[in-house]
Amino acid sequence: MARLDEKFFLQDTVTAAQELLGRYLVRVDGGETMVCRITETEAYIGAIDKACHAYGGRRTKRTETLYAAPGTAYVYLIYGMYSCLNFVTGQEGAASAVLIRSGTPVYNADAVARRRFGVAAAEMSAYQRKNFMNGPGKLCRGLSVTRELNALPLGSGALYLAHDLPELGLERRPDDLPFHTGKRIGIDYAEEAIDFPWRFWC
């Protein structure tokens, strides 16, 4: 197994958002290991980005995790009920992160489906299959990612990212994985940052 290390998270945030596509997100919860392949990300850079919670150096109880060491998990709530999972990037104190927007279960999909819909993967309806993990809140619900994991440091066994997982039969992704680029979603308040092409999907 080759986990993503600090060197990966120290790189430019936009580059990290692109290179996370196709990587494996691993969650170990209640004795069950669940894995999804990341299919969509967004980059947020506090110094210049009005869509970032820490824009302009803002430091609050909510945003303090954004200033943590690279690779730290930053989990926050939207609408008071849906968790969103990010990983801190860049130098400690830079307040930048990558949001994991969506993924595809590739190991133990039944455990993910039970957490999302209360049924096994084979029992999901067509609507449920279409909307399995195609959004940050849906992904977090399926993997049992909650605010309890906020500030989880790099190296945790409960939540981590990997290049490959040979012990589970999951191979390393191609280095030249093609991807699409576009504007981020749900940031209508962010003025010029609305147009930053910092959403990536494959």
Side-chain angles (χ1 to χ4, degrees), residues 151-184:
L152 195 71
L154 182 66
S156 167
L159 181 73
Y160 59 91
L161 294 153
H163 293 287
D164 54 22
L165 296 161
E167 70 277 20
L168 300 180
L170 299 173
E171 299 178 349
R172 194 181 184 105
R173 62 147 232 193
D175 289 334
D176 59 348
L177 185 73
F179 61 86
H180 306 279
T181 302
K183 298 178 183 180
R184 294 169 296 177

Side-chain angles (χ1 to χ4, degrees), residues 18-85:
Q18 296 168 0
E19 294 192 358
L20 277 171
L21 294 173
R23 310 293 184 187
Y24 297 109
L25 173 61
V26 183
R27 172 74 169 113
V28 180
D29 175 60
E32 294 186 297
T33 298
M34 300 166 284
V35 184
C36 75
R37 187 188 295 271
I38 297 170
T39 58
E40 186 177 3
T41 62
E42 291 181 347
Y44 290 86
I45 302 175
I48 59 173
D49 182 6
K50 292 179 181 175
C52 182
H53 296 159
Y55 171 67
R58 185 183 303 119
R59 295 186 82 134
T60 66
K61 183 178 180 180
R62 181 194 196 195
T63 66
E64 194 61 33
T65 304
L66 276 169
Y67 294 89
T72 301
Y74 172 47
V75 184
Y76 63 86
L77 289 179
I78 55 172
Y79 311 124
M81 59 190 300
Y82 299 115
S83 297
C84 291
L85 172 64

